[in-house]
Amino acid sequence: MYLPSDIIVKLLLSVIIGGVIGAEREYRSKSAGFRTLTMICMGATIFTILSQLIGIHSAPERIASNVVVGIGFVGAGVIFKSSGTNRVNGITTAAIIWVTAALGMGIGAGYELFSIVSCVLIMLVLFLFSRWEVLIENANQIRDYKIICKFEDETMKRFEELFTLHHLKYKNGRQTKYDNEITGEWLVRGSEKNHHNFISAIIKDPTVKGFEF
């Protein structure tokens, strides 16, 4: 069976592009890494090529369109909620799975240059935006604080005044009293430096019996 050279080029290009994006995810130890994203890109390319060959006389877009639906299930598998926190992880990796499949479809449809340029832009976003993300996170972090101390009147108000003193914005959470102890929970927003200063003050406070952050 004769295999056209343009199909071979498309398959090789899908392996390269999927491998480049996958290498970045592998470097960051993400759940979808080098082999996974390479296979996703190549698989999307193969399905798109087959949709053109099989559906040439009917609807060539039918097989390719289902790649978008199918890849959604793969992306959903890498999204999870961290235990004990309100953070959801894996969304970036799920988005990369989605866009890698799109690049594979572009290659399979014959838009090789478009896919290469898109891959370059994706790599720029992954490397440059990650640094900006760190700067933004340092300037504005959200943390859950849980403080346990001896119950006294105005006990929780004292800690809230300490939040304000360290330029932290807070939202009251659950308060629980058991015997002679009270537990307070807050959702606190502020810079990394202000969080660090507050934590240092709480750790040195002899009245605090328990502290989670």
Side-chain angles (χ1 to χ4, degrees):
M1 177 181 176
Y2 172 71
L3 185 63
S5 59
D6 63 321
I7 291 181
I8 297 175
V9 171
K10 288 177 180 179
L11 293 175
L12 291 175
L13 184 58
S14 68
V15 170
I16 293 171
I17 287 181
V20 168
I21 299 174
E24 188 276 339
R25 292 288 89 186
E26 193 76 38
Y27 175 76
R28 298 183 188 276
S29 300
K30 301 300 181 180
S31 53
F34 185 76
R35 291 182 300 174
T36 303
L37 289 173
T38 301
M39 295 298 289
I40 286 172
C41 189
M42 187 168 65
T45 299
I46 292 172
F47 273 117
T48 304
I49 293 172
L50 288 175
S51 70
Q52 294 174 335
L53 297 176
I54 297 173
I56 190 170
H57 298 298
S58 54
E61 75 282 355
R62 291 182 63 184
I63 296 177
S65 64
N66 282 290
V67 173
V68 180
V69 178
I71 208 66
F73 290 98
V74 179
V78 300
I79 299 175
F80 62 95
K81 183 178 180 295
S82 299
S83 59
T85 68
N86 293 320
R87 294 180 64 93
V88 177
N89 297 323
I91 295 179
T92 300
T93 301
I96 291 173
I97 289 174
W98 181 57
V99 77
T100 301
L103 295 183
M105 292 179 67
I107 295 169
Y111 298 97
E112 292 90 345
L113 182 59
F114 169 80
S115 298
I116 292 172
V117 172
S118 298
C119 179
V120 172
L121 291 175
I122 290 168
M123 297 307 296
L124 287 174
V125 168
L126 290 175
F127 281 103
L128 294 181
F129 282 30
S130 62
R131 296 184 180 181
W132 293 345
E133 192 175 36
V134 170
L135 294 175
I136 294 171
E137 186 176 354
N138 289 339
N140 186 38
Q141 293 185 357
I142 299 178
R143 296 190 180 186
D144 291 310
Y145 284 132
K146 183 177 180 180
I147 301 175
I148 304 173
C149 63
K150 184 178 179 181
F151 176 73
E152 295 177 357
D153 293 337
E154 306 297 327
T155 299
M156 297 294 103
K157 185 177 180 181
R158 177 168 64 88
F159 294 124
E160 292 172 358
E161 290 174 349
L162 198 58
F163 286 136
T164 304
L165 180 64
H166 288 89
H167 308 288
L168 295 170
K169 297 180 179 179
Y170 63 90
K171 183 178 180 181
N172 290 320
R174 185 175 57 180
Q175 293 186 6
T176 307
K177 182 180 179 298
Y178 183 76
D179 289 339
N180 200 34
E181 291 183 353
I182 185 168
T183 301
E185 298 179 15
W186 297 268
L187 186 66
V188 185
R189 180 195 301 269
S191 68
E192 183 182 31
K193 180 180 178 181
N194 292 338
H195 277 292
H196 176 75
N197 292 336
F198 174 80
I199 292 170
S200 298
I202 290 296
I203 290 175
K204 296 176 183 177
D205 191 333
T207 65
V208 175
K209 295 185 176 182
F211 181 39
E212 294 182 15
F213 58 94

PDB file of all heavy atoms in Angstrom, residues 12 25-26 29 44 46 53 57 64 107 134 138 180 211:
ATOM      1  N   LEU A  12       4.873  12.951  11.429  1.00  0.00           N
ATOM      2  CA  LEU A  12       6.128  13.323  12.081  1.00  0.00           C
ATOM      3  C   LEU A  12       6.010  14.681  12.765  1.00  0.00           C
ATOM      4  O   LEU A  12       6.506  14.873  13.888  1.00  0.00           O
ATOM      5  CB  LEU A  12       7.275  13.339  11.060  1.00  0.00           C
ATOM      6  CG  LEU A  12       7.695  11.975  10.499  1.00  0.00           C
ATOM      7  CD1 LEU A  12       8.758  12.156   9.412  1.00  0.00           C
ATOM      8  CD2 LEU A  12       8.211  11.077  11.604  1.00  0.00           C
ATOM      9  N   ARG A  25       5.345  19.908  30.031  1.00  0.00           N
ATOM     10  CA  ARG A  25       4.510  19.352  31.099  1.00  0.00           C
ATOM     11  C   ARG A  25       5.281  18.307  31.915  1.00  0.00           C
ATOM     12  O   ARG A  25       5.117  18.211  33.127  1.00  0.00           O
ATOM     13  CB  ARG A  25       3.256  18.711  30.498  1.00  0.00           C
ATOM     14  CG  ARG A  25       2.275  19.658  29.864  1.00  0.00           C
ATOM     15  CD  ARG A  25       1.524  20.478  30.903  1.00  0.00           C
ATOM     16  NE  ARG A  25       2.200  21.717  31.256  1.00  0.00           N
ATOM     17  CZ  ARG A  25       1.794  22.524  32.217  1.00  0.00           C
ATOM     18  NH1 ARG A  25       0.742  22.214  32.946  1.00  0.00           N
ATOM     19  NH2 ARG A  25       2.455  23.648  32.464  1.00  0.00           N
ATOM     20  N   GLU A  26       6.114  17.520  31.226  1.00  0.00           N
ATOM     21  CA  GLU A  26       6.925  16.516  31.917  1.00  0.00           C
ATOM     22  C   GLU A  26       7.934  17.186  32.833  1.00  0.00           C
ATOM     23  O   GLU A  26       8.189  16.724  33.947  1.00  0.00           O
ATOM     24  CB  GLU A  26       7.653  15.648  30.881  1.00  0.00           C
ATOM     25  CG  GLU A  26       8.277  14.387  31.445  1.00  0.00           C
ATOM     26  CD  GLU A  26       7.246  13.311  31.739  1.00  0.00           C
ATOM     27  OE1 GLU A  26       6.283  13.167  30.955  1.00  0.00           O
ATOM     28  OE2 GLU A  26       7.424  12.608  32.755  1.00  0.00           O
ATOM     29  N   SER A  29       6.451  18.047  35.959  1.00  0.00           N
ATOM     30  CA  SER A  29       5.908  16.863  36.651  1.00  0.00           C
ATOM     31  C   SER A  29       4.385  16.866  36.699  1.00  0.00           C
ATOM     32  O   SER A  29       3.775  16.576  37.739  1.00  0.00           O
ATOM     33  CB  SER A  29       6.489  16.764  38.070  1.00  0.00           C
ATOM     34  OG  SER A  29       7.892  16.660  38.027  1.00  0.00           O
ATOM     35  N   ALA A  44      -5.067  12.981  17.212  1.00  0.00           N
ATOM     36  CA  ALA A  44      -5.946  13.966  16.574  1.00  0.00           C
ATOM     37  C   ALA A  44      -5.604  14.125  15.097  1.00  0.00           C
ATOM     38  O   ALA A  44      -6.502  14.277  14.255  1.00  0.00           O
ATOM     39  CB  ALA A  44      -5.825  15.302  17.294  1.00  0.00           C
ATOM     40  N   ILE A  46      -4.237  11.766  13.154  1.00  0.00           N
ATOM     41  CA  ILE A  46      -4.682  10.545  12.462  1.00  0.00           C
ATOM     42  C   ILE A  46      -6.188  10.571  12.218  1.00  0.00           C
ATOM     43  O   ILE A  46      -6.663  10.255  11.115  1.00  0.00           O
ATOM     44  CB  ILE A  46      -4.287   9.303  13.281  1.00  0.00           C
ATOM     45  CG1 ILE A  46      -2.765   9.141  13.294  1.00  0.00           C
ATOM     46  CG2 ILE A  46      -4.950   8.049  12.715  1.00  0.00           C
ATOM     47  CD1 ILE A  46      -2.271   8.059  14.232  1.00  0.00           C
ATOM     48  N   LEU A  53     -10.147  10.928   4.399  1.00  0.00           N
ATOM     49  CA  LEU A  53     -10.072   9.785   3.487  1.00  0.00           C
ATOM     50  C   LEU A  53     -11.354   8.981   3.466  1.00  0.00           C
ATOM     51  O   LEU A  53     -11.870   8.614   2.402  1.00  0.00           O
ATOM     52  CB  LEU A  53      -8.900   8.879   3.896  1.00  0.00           C
ATOM     53  CG  LEU A  53      -7.505   9.503   3.810  1.00  0.00           C
ATOM     54  CD1 LEU A  53      -6.457   8.533   4.335  1.00  0.00           C
ATOM     55  CD2 LEU A  53      -7.183   9.921   2.382  1.00  0.00           C
ATOM     56  N   HIS A  57     -16.586  11.403   0.352  1.00  0.00           N
ATOM     57  CA  HIS A  57     -17.796  11.523  -0.465  1.00  0.00           C
ATOM     58  C   HIS A  57     -19.036  11.857   0.375  1.00  0.00           C
ATOM     59  O   HIS A  57     -20.132  11.972  -0.172  1.00  0.00           O
ATOM     60  CB  HIS A  57     -18.048  10.222  -1.237  1.00  0.00           C
ATOM     61  CG  HIS A  57     -16.951   9.888  -2.190  1.00  0.00           C
ATOM     62  ND1 HIS A  57     -16.609  10.694  -3.261  1.00  0.00           N
ATOM     63  CD2 HIS A  57     -16.102   8.818  -2.217  1.00  0.00           C
ATOM     64  CE1 HIS A  57     -15.607  10.152  -3.922  1.00  0.00           C
ATOM     65  NE2 HIS A  57     -15.271   9.006  -3.308  1.00  0.00           N
ATOM     66  N   ALA A  64     -13.677  14.095  12.608  1.00  0.00           N
ATOM     67  CA  ALA A  64     -12.821  15.118  13.225  1.00  0.00           C
ATOM     68  C   ALA A  64     -13.557  15.871  14.318  1.00  0.00           C
ATOM     69  O   ALA A  64     -12.973  16.201  15.359  1.00  0.00           O
ATOM     70  CB  ALA A  64     -12.316  16.090  12.156  1.00  0.00           C
ATOM     71  N   ILE A 107      -2.812  20.057  11.899  1.00  0.00           N
ATOM     72  CA  ILE A 107      -1.799  19.368  11.084  1.00  0.00           C
ATOM     73  C   ILE A 107      -2.470  18.393  10.131  1.00  0.00           C
ATOM     74  O   ILE A 107      -2.151  18.338   8.941  1.00  0.00           O
ATOM     75  CB  ILE A 107      -0.793  18.628  11.998  1.00  0.00           C
ATOM     76  CG1 ILE A 107      -0.003  19.626  12.841  1.00  0.00           C
ATOM     77  CG2 ILE A 107       0.155  17.772  11.168  1.00  0.00           C
ATOM     78  CD1 ILE A 107       0.808  18.994  13.951  1.00  0.00           C
ATOM     79  N   VAL A 134       3.578  33.773  39.115  1.00  0.00           N
ATOM     80  CA  VAL A 134       4.266  33.745  40.414  1.00  0.00           C
ATOM     81  C   VAL A 134       4.274  35.132  41.034  1.00  0.00           C
ATOM     82  O   VAL A 134       4.033  35.298  42.239  1.00  0.00           O
ATOM     83  CB  VAL A 134       5.706  33.221  40.251  1.00  0.00           C
ATOM     84  CG1 VAL A 134       6.501  33.415  41.552  1.00  0.00           C
ATOM     85  CG2 VAL A 134       5.694  31.754  39.861  1.00  0.00           C
ATOM     86  N   ASN A 138       2.461  36.133  44.524  1.00  0.00           N
ATOM     87  CA  ASN A 138       3.199  36.718  45.649  1.00  0.00           C
ATOM     88  C   ASN A 138       2.559  38.019  46.117  1.00  0.00           C
ATOM     89  O   ASN A 138       2.596  38.354  47.300  1.00  0.00           O
ATOM     90  CB  ASN A 138       4.655  36.970  45.263  1.00  0.00           C
ATOM     91  CG  ASN A 138       5.454  35.688  45.116  1.00  0.00           C
ATOM     92  OD1 ASN A 138       5.074  34.653  45.662  1.00  0.00           O
ATOM     93  ND2 ASN A 138       6.547  35.748  44.380  1.00  0.00           N
ATOM     94  N   ASN A 180     -13.277  24.719  77.013  1.00  0.00           N
ATOM     95  CA  ASN A 180     -12.730  26.050  77.258  1.00  0.00           C
ATOM     96  C   ASN A 180     -11.868  26.545  76.102  1.00  0.00           C
ATOM     97  O   ASN A 180     -11.075  27.477  76.251  1.00  0.00           O
ATOM     98  CB  ASN A 180     -11.893  26.047  78.553  1.00  0.00           C
ATOM     99  CG  ASN A 180     -11.709  27.451  79.100  1.00  0.00           C
ATOM    100  OD1 ASN A 180     -12.599  28.292  78.969  1.00  0.00           O
ATOM    101  ND2 ASN A 180     -10.549  27.710  79.691  1.00  0.00           N
ATOM    102  N   PHE A 211      -2.573  26.096  65.265  1.00  0.00           N
ATOM    103  CA  PHE A 211      -2.577  27.031  64.147  1.00  0.00           C
ATOM    104  C   PHE A 211      -2.360  26.264  62.849  1.00  0.00           C
ATOM    105  O   PHE A 211      -1.372  25.555  62.693  1.00  0.00           O
ATOM    106  CB  PHE A 211      -1.482  28.080  64.342  1.00  0.00           C
ATOM    107  CG  PHE A 211      -1.398  29.113  63.252  1.00  0.00           C
ATOM    108  CD1 PHE A 211      -2.549  29.630  62.667  1.00  0.00           C
ATOM    109  CD2 PHE A 211      -0.168  29.565  62.791  1.00  0.00           C
ATOM    110  CE1 PHE A 211      -2.483  30.570  61.662  1.00  0.00           C
ATOM    111  CE2 PHE A 211      -0.084  30.518  61.782  1.00  0.00           C
ATOM    112  CZ  PHE A 211      -1.245  31.016  61.225  1.00  0.00           C
TER     113      PHE A 211
END
